[in-house]
Amino acid sequence: MTAPKVVIIGAGIVGANLADELTARGWADVTVLDQGPLPRTGGSTSHAPGLVFQTNASKTMTEFAKYTVSKFLELDCFLQVGGMEVATTPARWEDLKRKHGWATSWGVQGSLINAEECVRRWPLLDGSQVFGALHVPSDGLARAAKAVAVLAERATSRGARFVGSTRVTDVLQEGGRVTGVRTDQGDFPAEVVVSCAGFWGREIGAMVGMDVPLLPLAHQYVKTGRVDELVGRNTEEVEASLPILRHQDQDLYFREHVDRLGIGSYAHRPMPVDESILDPSVTETAMPSMLPFTEEDFAPSWEESKLLLPALRQTKVEEGFNGIFSFTPDGQSLVGESADVRGFWLAEAVWVTHSAGIAKAVAELLVDGHSETDLHEVDVHRFEEIQLAPSYVSETSQQNFVEVYDILHPLQPKLSPRELRVTPFHLRQRELGAVFLEAGGWERPHWFEANAPLLKKLPHDALPPARDAWSAQFHSPIAAAEAWHTRNGVALYDMTPLKRVEISGSGSLEFLQSLNTNQLQKSVGSVTYTLMLDDAGGVRSDVTVARLGPELFQAGINGNIDVDHLVKHAPDGVQIRDITGGTCCIGVWGPLARELVQPLSKEDFSHTGLKYFRARRARIAGVPVVAMRLSYVGELGWEIYTGADNGLRLWDALWAAGQSLGVIAAGRAAFNSLRLEKGYRLWGTDMTTEHDPYEAGVGFAVRPAKGEFLGRDAIEGRSEETASRRLRCLTIDDGRTVVLGKEPVFVDGVAAGYVTSAAYGYTIGRPIAYAWLPASADVGSGVEIEYFGRRVAATVAAEPLFDPGMERIRR
């Protein structure tokens, strides 16, 4: 197969890396265009300070940073001076213990050091200001401009060409596919176009009608005058020897420039930039990515810098600028192909830290069809439509700038914008004192204050222990009452925000069969749990498919990334329709669920009348519904769907009829606990494309004998027995420590895996954690979880922990 013609827009650190990665894989017909002169194009790379701190809450972003370090070391474009994040407050010191856990989980070697060791490694520090630091020896400084030149030379030697001073004015397309780009220097034909244009990415995306959710923002960087204590330490060739330093309590970072210090600040007000009015020309003294320095914004940061580093009191700020780079609504990068114009790809909002790693992933997508690293956190299609609105992108991106160094809890919700998407039951939930957190723009109740009195009625052994301060945030013991009531009575759960699509038209069954692992050729009314794999056999999603007609299906999926996947593969005649916003869903679950629902309907809701994993159209209190006999909490009940216009009526009917049964509304906190007791996986958290079905414990949903499906060849010969790692259920031995996820797990004293999901199991009376571990860590094995620097003993348990015989769900 002949490699396609590729045009990369942008010759900065991302574009140059991508050209290198593509040509290394044999795609030699690569043209890299930039509106600026080469090699110093005037984009963000031209002024990047080059700090590479690898440790990140995201495993994906850490993997990208690790690859960037290894590649730039190979290119001799990296000063591996190490990195230090100092704590000047008790809260930050605790946070560094959590970060050390992330580093250990993702395979980055680091250590927590005391104040004395901090001063030994950074003699300019005032040791009395710090509690300690996280030190990572493999961090350092990327020489971004040099790396671009080296990468361009290497890619050119393999056949690529770099063309500067050439402005792209349009992306050419025909029949829904790119055919090239138009520039002020003529047309360049291409079958693949990749936008690596940095903060101009919005303009390039608009050329194909794509909303690119990024916001250019200015970030202050200064250089001091000579610092006497640095004189003689470094040379022009090796300009730094001290670890790069982050003072996150004051939103500052520091690096050496021979005998001067560079200081970056996020402490100032957000300064959005309209890239359309920037002059793209580059001169000896000016470039579009470097705006004039606003001294008044930096003044407080300069005072804080002198407090931490007293040596700065003998010098001053000699030069500074406001440098432009990109932020997004969730702070992550943007990678993926346009949903409407095939062959048009993005690799945007990428920092130098992750540049080589993201370029590698994009090259793998283009050449191999899949990335070795899971990309769902950076997939450009992860956002809901409401989140693409310019006002939303602007507000949330600016907030991410403000919070970039803040200590953020995993459940911490946005304060604004809120109530963008509410379900038909929102008013009733507010009346019940719902405490809402936000995801995907949806308001989702996590518990209900109206259920607080139920805590007094719980059996003594059902009361959960008190939590530590961290895990107690965005949590309430009311969740225990809601979980208990679901197990012993009946509860209503709002399942509306879970994404669902309708697949219809001639050939729908064959289409779904080709993408899914399980057998879907079943009778109308069947419901099937199945998986979608990538072509390497990784789990790209788990799906619940209901066959509502011969060529009509409803699929519960995991978000817009799945919608894009389905649309891309759908043949002519098959329609994919996102029905989430026009419908709603109530989960009615608990041993009294049938007593609640049956009197409201003439249809048969008995165990034989509507069996487990079957669906039917019905009327409940006169409301037309689709009822699916499913339960993500492991209790008798149904997911009941209706149109959004009928939703409030349905809720009110169920609520009124359930009063004699003690019906309650329950939230996501109880839901998460109940699903972990049943061992139900959450895609994107417990399993991703980096895991195959057998490793993840969902091999039961794979039916190779049914025929061809995407990923079938890749998993041939694999089984649970051949898996070298497994997703394991752990119970915490002390019965009280609730971890939150991403903590490292030690087997025989060695870091061997990490926690995915965790919760307190209210039914079993113990905390639960799921974790990726070597397959040798079998049931009964003792392990340890590192939680804020201390080791917590846990035991690998057989799963599910609750109702392993499935009697309750099938009665």
Side-chain angles (χ1 to χ4, degrees):
M1 178 181 174
T2 304
K5 293 180 181 294
V6 180
V7 166
I8 298 170
I9 303 172
I13 195 68
V14 182
N17 262 300
L18 180 55
D20 177 67
E21 295 286 341
L22 287 174
T23 55
R25 290 166 172 76
W27 281 25
D29 197 347
V30 175
T31 302
V32 185
L33 305 175
D34 203 289
Q35 64 183 350
L38 301 179
R40 197 164 180 254
T41 63
S44 298
T45 302
S46 303
H47 68 254
L51 282 72
V52 178
F53 281 91
Q54 298 164 89
T55 305
N56 194 292
S58 164
K59 178 178 181 292
T60 292
M61 302 309 282
T62 300
E63 293 292 337
F64 289 156
K66 287 166 62 179
Y67 182 76
T68 299
V69 168
S70 65
K71 182 173 181 176
F72 285 13
L73 277 171
E74 173 207 339
L75 298 175
D76 192 26
C77 295
F78 193 75
L79 292 177
Q80 200 160 48
V81 294
M84 278 175 52
E85 297 181 49
V86 295
T88 60
T89 63
R92 183 68 62 181
W93 182 233
E94 289 301 303
D95 189 54
L96 291 184
K97 295 176 184 177
R98 183 171 63 121
K99 286 187 175 179
H100 180 252
W102 296 342
T104 306
S105 290
W106 315 144
V108 175
Q109 296 299 313
S111 60
L112 294 166
I113 60 177
N114 61 26
E116 183 180 2
E117 179 68 7
C118 288
V119 174
R120 190 184 74 79
R121 293 184 178 276
W122 241 92
L124 279 65
L125 271 174
D126 179 357
S128 68
Q129 297 282 322
V130 302
F131 288 81
L134 171 61
H135 177 243
V136 177
S138 57
D139 288 344
L141 293 165
R143 293 172 160 179
K146 179 183 176 182
V148 167
V150 173
L151 290 164
E153 181 180 1
R154 191 158 76 171
T156 300
S157 72
R158 302 186 189 117
R161 59 175 174 156
F162 283 67
V163 183
S165 303
T166 301
R167 183 179 179 83
V168 173
T169 58
D170 199 7
V171 176
L172 305 176
Q173 52 183 294
E174 184 178 326
R177 290 204 61 90
V178 297
T179 59
V181 299
R182 178 153 294 157
T183 78
D184 55 4
Q185 303 298 317
D187 292 353
F188 289 80
E191 296 146 272
V192 174
V193 174
V194 188
S195 176
C196 303
F199 57 82
W200 281 287
R202 292 192 299 191
E203 289 191 348
I204 301 299
M207 294 176 184
V208 297
M210 190 174 183
D211 291 320
V212 180
L214 66 78
L215 180 73
L217 285 162
H219 160 62
Q220 291 197 301
Y221 191 76
V222 306
K223 290 182 182 179
T224 70
R226 190 181 74 173
V227 179
D228 290 342
E229 286 82 350
L230 296 180
V231 173
R233 289 187 61 95
N234 307 308
T235 66
E236 291 295 334
E237 178 60 28
V238 182
E239 59 185 308
S241 54
L242 293 175
I244 48 177
L245 180 68
R246 283 205 285 199
H247 180 22
Q248 294 182 300
D249 287 317
Q250 294 298 331
D251 297 315
L252 295 167
Y253 62 81
F254 306 86
R255 59 152 293 181
E256 293 168 283
H257 292 278
V258 190
D259 58 3
R260 301 195 291 166
L261 277 185
I263 307 172
S265 171
Y266 294 98
H268 55 80
R269 61 190 170 90
M271 294 184 273
V273 177
D274 181 356
E275 72 277 18
S276 67
I277 64 174
L278 296 175
D279 182 354
S281 60
V282 177
T283 68
E284 288 295 322
T285 58
M287 60 177 63
S289 61
M290 297 175 69
L291 302 181
F293 183 57
T294 50
E295 187 175 355
E296 65 279 8
D297 288 306
F298 191 75
S301 293
W302 178 238
E303 295 306 313
E304 293 295 341
S305 298
K306 289 187 291 185
L307 285 175
L308 184 70
L309 307 173
L312 296 183
R313 297 168 189 166
Q314 310 306 317
T315 186
K316 62 181 181 179
V317 174
E318 283 199 345
E319 57 181 288
F321 62 91
N322 292 359
I324 306 174
F325 65 154
S326 303
F327 268 73
T328 62
D330 60 4
Q332 300 283 33
S333 300
L334 304 172
V335 172
E337 186 182 20
S338 164
D340 302 314
V341 182
R342 297 298 173 228
F344 179 80
W345 290 75
L346 290 178
E348 300 290 15
V350 181
W351 293 7
V352 171
T353 302
H354 311 109
S355 57
I358 284 185
K360 173 178 176 283
V362 174
E364 289 171 341
L365 286 172
L366 291 171
V367 178
D368 304 324
H370 65 272
S371 166
E372 291 181 354
T373 304
D374 172 64
L375 299 178
H376 82 274
E377 292 177 327
V378 298
D379 193 303
V380 69
H381 300 294
R382 66 190 182 271
F383 298 104
E384 296 291 325
E385 187 174 359
I386 190 68
Q387 294 173 303
L388 299 177
S391 58
Y392 181 93
V393 173
S394 178
E395 180 177 351
T396 54
S397 297
Q398 289 183 62
Q399 188 61 30
N400 277 319
F401 179 92
V402 171
E403 294 177 346
V404 68
Y405 279 174
D406 286 1
I407 300 170
L408 300 176
H409 192 276
L411 293 176
Q412 191 158 321
K414 293 181 177 67
L415 297 178
S416 174
R418 292 295 297 269
E419 298 199 355
L420 295 175
R421 307 177 80 187
V422 297
T423 75
F425 325 125
H426 186 71
L427 178 61
R428 296 292 183 261
Q429 292 166 346
R430 291 182 62 182
E431 291 169 350
L432 293 170
V435 175
F436 293 97
L437 302 185
E438 178 269 347
W442 287 104
E443 297 295 325
R444 303 171 71 160
H446 274 240
W447 67 86
F448 292 84
E449 291 294 333
N451 294 326
L454 297 177
L455 279 170
K456 298 178 181 179
K457 301 178 181 179
L458 288 184
H460 180 73
D461 59 1
L463 290 170
R467 293 193 174 202
D468 67 274
W470 183 253
S471 67
Q473 291 186 58
F474 308 104
H475 172 77
S476 170
I478 292 171
E482 294 177 3
W484 190 91
H485 212 82
T486 306
R487 292 276 188 242
N488 294 277
V490 61
L492 306 183
Y493 287 82
D494 184 355
M495 305 301 288
T496 302
L498 302 185
K499 180 74 75 173
R500 51 199 166 273
V501 294
E502 180 183 273
I503 303 100
S504 62
S506 177
S508 294
L509 174 61
E510 293 77 11
F511 163 63
L512 287 172
Q513 286 278 71
S514 72
L515 290 185
N516 284 274
T517 61
N518 214 335
Q519 177 60 264
L520 301 179
Q521 192 167 357
K522 300 177 182 177
S523 61
V524 172
S526 65
V527 182
T528 306
Y529 176 82
T530 182
L531 309 172
M532 292 194 293
L533 307 181
D534 65 17
D535 56 11
V539 181
R540 66 165 298 130
S541 190
D542 64 339
V543 186
T544 303
V545 179
R547 192 173 192 182
L548 302 181
E551 296 287 0
L552 176 63
F553 299 82
Q554 180 175 314
I557 59 177
N558 283 296
N560 275 347
I561 298 172
D562 287 349
V563 177
D564 178 65
H565 180 64
L566 291 167
V567 170
K568 279 181 179 175
H569 286 86
D572 292 342
V574 173
Q575 292 82 45
I576 312 295
R577 189 165 69 95
D578 182 350
I579 61 172
T580 311
T583 56
C584 58
C585 178
I586 302 174
V588 183
W589 291 314
L592 301 181
R594 188 172 284 120
E595 294 181 40
L596 170 56
V597 172
Q598 186 62 81
L600 298 177
S601 180
K602 293 181 179 180
E603 279 77 23
D604 186 0
F605 278 84
S606 69
H607 177 60
T608 55
L610 184 55
K611 295 181 179 180
Y612 188 52
F613 266 82
R614 297 289 296 180
R616 69 142 36 110
R617 297 186 187 278
R619 290 185 183 274
I620 295 176
V623 176
V625 304
V626 172
M628 299 186 192
R629 180 89 182 271
L630 308 174
S631 177
Y632 206 50
V633 300
E635 293 292 339
L636 168 69
W638 305 269
E639 292 180 1
I640 302 176
Y641 296 88
T642 190
D645 55 337
N646 287 316
L648 187 58
R649 182 181 168 198
L650 176 63
W651 179 281
D652 286 346
L654 290 167
W655 187 259
Q659 291 308 298
S660 61
L661 301 173
V663 70
I664 67 165
R668 297 291 299 182
F671 179 88
N672 192 53
S673 170
L674 297 170
R675 69 104 180 164
L676 285 178
E677 290 181 332
K678 285 297 294 178
Y680 294 148
R681 275 63 169 149
L682 178 62
W683 187 85
T685 299
D686 297 317
M687 57 187 179
T688 69
T689 56
E690 295 182 7
H691 313 108
D692 75 32
Y694 306 107
E695 296 171 328
V698 288
F700 63 85
V702 180
R703 296 286 186 272
K706 76 164 191 167
E708 292 298 321
F709 55 83
L710 183 63
R712 180 176 181 266
D713 292 344
I715 60 172
E716 185 176 359
R718 301 190 205 179
S719 67
E720 292 185 6
E721 289 69 33
T722 64
S724 61
R725 58 179 177 174
R726 297 289 302 278
L727 183 65
R728 295 295 196 188
C729 176
L730 310 179
T731 55
I732 310 300
D733 292 356
D734 67 14
R736 65 179 184 275
T737 301
V738 180
V739 302
L740 297 183
K742 303 184 180 181
E743 296 88 357
V745 182
F746 292 77
V747 178
D748 296 327
V750 177
Y754 59 91
V755 173
T756 58
S757 294
Y760 189 84
Y762 297 111
T763 312
I764 67 168
R766 282 170 290 166
I768 306 166
Y770 271 75
W772 281 102
L773 292 175
S776 58
D778 212 340
V779 173
S781 298
V783 299
E784 291 180 307
I785 301 171
E786 182 181 300
Y787 184 64
F788 284 91
R790 66 183 177 92
R791 300 283 180 90
V792 178
T795 303
V796 179
E799 57 172 329
L801 296 168
F802 176 78
D803 189 25
M806 302 287 283
E807 289 89 358
R808 296 173 67 92
I809 208 167
R810 288 192 165 106
R811 53 189 171 184

